[in-house]
Amino acid sequence: MLKIIKGGLQTTVQDLGRTGFQKYGVIASGAMDPFAHRTANLLVGNAEQEATLEIALAGPAIEFQEPAFIAICGADLSPTIDGVSVKRWRTLSVNKGSVLKFGAPRTGCRAYIAIAGGISVAPIMNSKSTYLRAGIGGFHGRALDAGDELPIGRIADEAIEALRKASDQEVDWQIPAPRYSAEPIVRLMRGRQFDLFNSTSQQRLFTEAFSVSTDSDRMGYRLEGPQLSLTEPKELISEAVAFGSIQVPADGNPIILLADRQTTGGYPKIGQIASVDLPLATQLKPGDRIRFKEITLEEAQTLFIEQEQQIRQLKVGIRLKMEE
Amino acid sequence: MGFSFSPLGDQAIVVEVGSEIKDTAQKDVRTISALLEASPPPWLIETIPAFTTVAVFYDPAKALYGTVKQELEELLRQTSVELTAAARTIEIPVCYGGEFGPDLEFVAEHNGLTPQQVIDIHTGGEYSVYMIGFAPGFPFIGGMSEKIAAPRRDSPRLRIPERTVGIAGMQTGVYPIETPGGWQLIGRTPLRLFRPEEEIPSLLRAGDKIVFTQITKSEYASWKEDGHAEDH
């Protein structure tokens, strides 16, 4: 059991999202930084889709009421266990009674805490992800708060031995982590309605910086910068959107659609962020800046496959190390 | 029939069946979704059908865009297949006006009608569900009479309670969950449109026919109490 001493800004249970129900209008949700989420799970021997805790900027304080193995991946939010700084992107052993806390955000916005054995909450529509707006999934459909007690899963005795070994050693897992930055260059494909935008807008999209407005959350990031406009006004028929679609409402300020995006939208989509670069966008904080670089679909899919291979290698590497 | 294909990022392809909201386009969209569901290719993740498009999400580690497009083209040669399933008709009871429908008077005045005339026209229409999207279980409904059309509110309400029935322009709809919104609110149904605990979490599906019926406030209240809303 994990006892929440302080909830933090927004700590939610997330997995890789609610797949297969978008056709009923059900929002996908899931980890904003799927790479960090998956890696955290692998480092504690979980399946990569197991739920983790997603924390944002101001992290929670968590008391472990039983010994556990955890991994913290993603943003550097200055994690400490019993007051001692701990490393990210590796297996950590936590004693019964220890308290995990977070301090000042150094890089990025969201960190993921995976716990060996996973988080024991009931899946809704095959997913443990929290969808705050509808109050479903995760821990009673809401963010964690002081006093909550979060049940965690059991792990087999053999696994405990392996995890202990992994947490004792200073292993370099060679994790191909994204290069989080407060002004990243994010690779972008042309969106389905790219051609409807005037040439100035098309050009400015790939040459100028946009800043992340305070009106940004798990649903989407509203950007400020050059105004983007269509050659002529056009009414569009609502159609599907995806994680990382960039749509432009009539006011000309683009919005990046993220984990809690609606399933469909009627605004023109000027671009679509390459899947491998999504973490660079979702780790931005309000006030950070973002630039876009054009990439083709073929390049994006090649990068996607390369990253999947790297994750598979990491998985095998971790398993071998734990079995040594 | 001619379909066009284009990418929606590196994990989805959009099949476009037409450029206008029409029954034929809607039928093609349903056929494509049904074909994919009946024999899901190994690369298929999920689909999002809309008015004139079906977005097909796939795993690029299993098949790249070119392969997915080619396999879809082959699959869609079968779209001459007629859908055999008859459209369902779903009755949606609505308690119109009062606290549930604060804008009923506005819609009436805007169209030079009495509130009861608005209700009669709204319940007299034949509606069909074109797509589910935007919010969990939210139906895009076609078929409302232009006699009761009304513009959106100048400033949207911050909270519209779940199950509220509204009008925006030529459209009518029902909000499944509490959301902000600019629709003119004319009533509320005791039926839950979003049912997260059920295998199919949406009461309505694309292709459904809808009939609105008028109920009184006490019928509304007892509907809730006796659990009709749960198993209707």
Side-chain angles (χ1 to χ4, degrees):
Chain A
M1 197 76 85
L2 305 185
K3 185 162 183 203
I4 310 302
I5 299 170
K6 189 180 80 175
L9 182 63
Q10 189 181 76
T11 303
T12 57
V13 176
Q14 298 294 344
D15 58 15
L16 289 174
R18 208 155 261 123
T19 305
F21 295 89
Q22 289 200 84
K23 58 173 173 270
Y24 303 121
V26 177
I27 275 65
S29 304
M32 287 277 273
D33 181 342
F35 181 87
H37 168 95
R38 293 166 75 186
T39 309
N41 271 324
L42 293 179
L43 288 169
V44 294
N46 289 345
E48 44 190 280
Q49 66 272 20
E50 177 56 61
T52 63
L53 290 180
E54 179 181 278
I55 71 180
L57 288 174
I62 302 172
E63 184 188 315
F64 286 75
Q65 299 192 317
E66 58 193 282
F69 293 97
I70 66 167
I72 304 165
C73 295
D76 185 354
L77 306 180
S78 311
T80 59
I81 293 177
D82 297 331
V84 180
S85 299
V86 290
K87 289 190 172 166
R88 295 175 300 137
W89 305 100
R90 54 164 299 152
T91 317
L92 303 169
S93 166
V94 188
N95 297 324
K96 182 179 173 178
S98 284
V99 176
L100 170 66
K101 284 187 186 169
F102 294 85
R106 290 206 188 97
T107 50
C109 178
R110 291 163 220 279
Y112 294 82
I113 310 169
I115 300 124
I119 299 170
S120 298
V121 293
I124 295 197
M125 288 173 264
N126 304 336
S127 167
K128 294 179 181 176
S129 287
T130 314
Y131 175 42
L132 294 169
R133 198 107 167 246
I136 59 164
F139 187 79
H140 303 298
R142 61 170 172 82
L144 296 179
D145 211 344
D148 287 344
E149 295 195 330
L150 191 66
I152 57 177
R154 296 212 152 271
I155 36 174
D157 290 348
E158 316 87 79
I160 293 177
E161 208 40 55
L163 286 162
R164 179 157 297 129
K165 259 190 252 165
S167 63
D168 282 347
Q169 303 162 345
E170 275 291 333
V171 190
D172 181 6
W173 296 114
Q174 311 222 332
I175 291 163
R179 281 190 284 274
Y180 301 132
S181 152
E183 189 171 350
I185 295 173
V186 167
R187 288 166 289 192
L188 187 74
M189 287 163 276
R190 293 182 175 199
R192 263 178 49 81
Q193 288 82 28
F194 182 84
D195 292 341
L196 298 182
F197 287 84
N198 61 41
S199 57
T200 319
S201 299
Q202 293 177 347
Q203 204 183 354
R204 296 181 90 177
L205 175 69
F206 292 117
T207 50
E208 294 185 33
F210 294 82
S211 65
V212 177
S213 84
T214 48
D215 194 6
S216 296
D217 57 17
R218 282 182 43 88
M219 185 176 175
Y221 278 12
R222 212 169 262 270
L223 303 181
E224 284 162 357
Q227 307 272 302
L228 305 176
S229 44
L230 301 176
T231 312
E232 54 191 56
K234 193 166 191 280
E235 277 292 310
L236 292 179
I237 301 173
S238 281
E239 61 174 39
V241 298
F243 195 175
S245 292
I246 300 184
Q247 64 175 24
V248 185
D251 69 7
N253 294 316
I255 301 171
I256 313 179
L257 298 175
L258 300 171
D260 284 351
R261 68 197 174 276
Q262 59 204 42
T263 58
T264 59
Y267 295 123
K269 295 181 282 296
I270 197 169
Q272 176 74 38
I273 295 176
S275 294
V276 293
D277 280 356
L278 279 171
L280 297 181
T282 54
Q283 289 288 359
L284 295 175
K285 305 180 287 293
D288 286 348
R289 286 152 69 85
I290 183 170
R291 287 173 180 277
F292 299 108
K293 179 178 185 276
E294 189 171 0
I295 187 177
T296 64
L297 169 64
E298 290 71 26
E299 288 168 315
Q301 293 202 319
T302 304
L303 290 167
F304 181 96
I305 286 167
E306 277 171 15
Q307 189 182 59
E308 289 307 306
Q309 280 165 350
Q310 285 170 340
I311 292 175
R312 210 172 310 141
Q313 277 165 13
L314 179 67
K315 199 170 173 176
V316 172
I318 291 171
R319 196 186 303 140
L320 287 177
K321 203 81 194 171
M322 288 184 184
E323 281 168 3
E324 261 174 20
Chain B
M1 58 191 89
F3 298 136
S4 68
F5 299 85
S6 64
L8 170 63
D10 49 24
Q11 298 190 62
I13 179 169
V14 175
V15 188
E16 198 163 354
V17 304
S19 53
E20 280 173 68
I21 300 177
K22 285 197 296 203
D23 283 350
T24 49
Q26 211 261 325
K27 211 169 168 193
D28 286 344
V29 164
R30 279 166 60 212
T31 309
I32 293 169
S33 312
L35 278 170
L36 281 167
E37 261 170 47
S39 47
W43 39 257
L44 180 70
I45 294 174
E46 66 179 316
T47 60
I48 304 183
F51 290 109
T52 56
T53 53
V54 184
V56 180
F57 290 77
Y58 61 94
D59 181 356
K62 293 194 176 131
L64 295 177
Y65 181 78
T67 311
V68 171
K69 180 172 175 262
Q70 201 183 338
E71 289 192 24
L72 280 174
E73 278 168 338
E74 278 163 33
L75 185 77
L76 301 188
R77 286 206 192 102
Q78 306 165 39
T79 45
S80 51
V81 181
E82 279 292 306
L83 281 180
T84 47
R88 309 184 307 164
T89 299
I90 311 276
E91 189 184 315
I92 299 185
V94 181
C95 179
Y96 289 94
E99 55 173 314
F100 294 155
D103 303 325
L104 179 64
E105 300 262 350
F106 171 84
V107 175
E109 260 172 55
H110 181 79
N111 290 290
L113 301 167
T114 65
Q116 189 56 48
Q117 283 173 319
V118 173
I119 296 169
D120 292 343
I121 293 168
H122 196 256
T123 53
E126 283 179 23
Y127 303 90
S128 51
V129 177
Y130 279 116
M131 63 176 269
I132 304 290
F134 168 66
F138 182 90
F140 286 83
I141 298 170
M144 195 184 77
S145 165
E146 60 186 47
K147 289 180 195 154
I148 54 172
R152 280 165 211 264
R153 287 169 59 87
D154 291 337
S155 81
R157 286 186 172 90
L158 292 176
R159 282 168 170 217
I160 294 174
E162 60 172 54
R163 297 177 282 100
T164 299
V165 180
I167 288 176
M170 292 282 293
Q171 285 189 83
T172 184
V174 188
Y175 283 95
I177 60 171
E178 185 188 283
T179 49
W183 290 40
Q184 304 289 350
L185 312 181
I186 60 167
R188 198 178 300 168
T189 174
L191 288 188
R192 286 185 315 138
L193 270 70
F194 176 47
R195 303 173 169 205
E197 71 289 350
E198 287 180 21
E199 199 177 331
I200 292 178
S202 175
L203 171 69
L204 301 170
R205 281 170 247 169
D208 284 348
K209 302 282 173 213
I210 289 183
V211 179
F212 291 105
T213 55
Q214 185 178 11
I215 57 169
T216 64
K217 213 169 168 183
S218 67
E219 282 172 315
Y220 176 94
S222 62
W223 210 291
K224 274 180 96 174
E225 281 158 21
D226 68 16
H228 263 90
E230 301 296 319
D231 55 11
H232 185 81

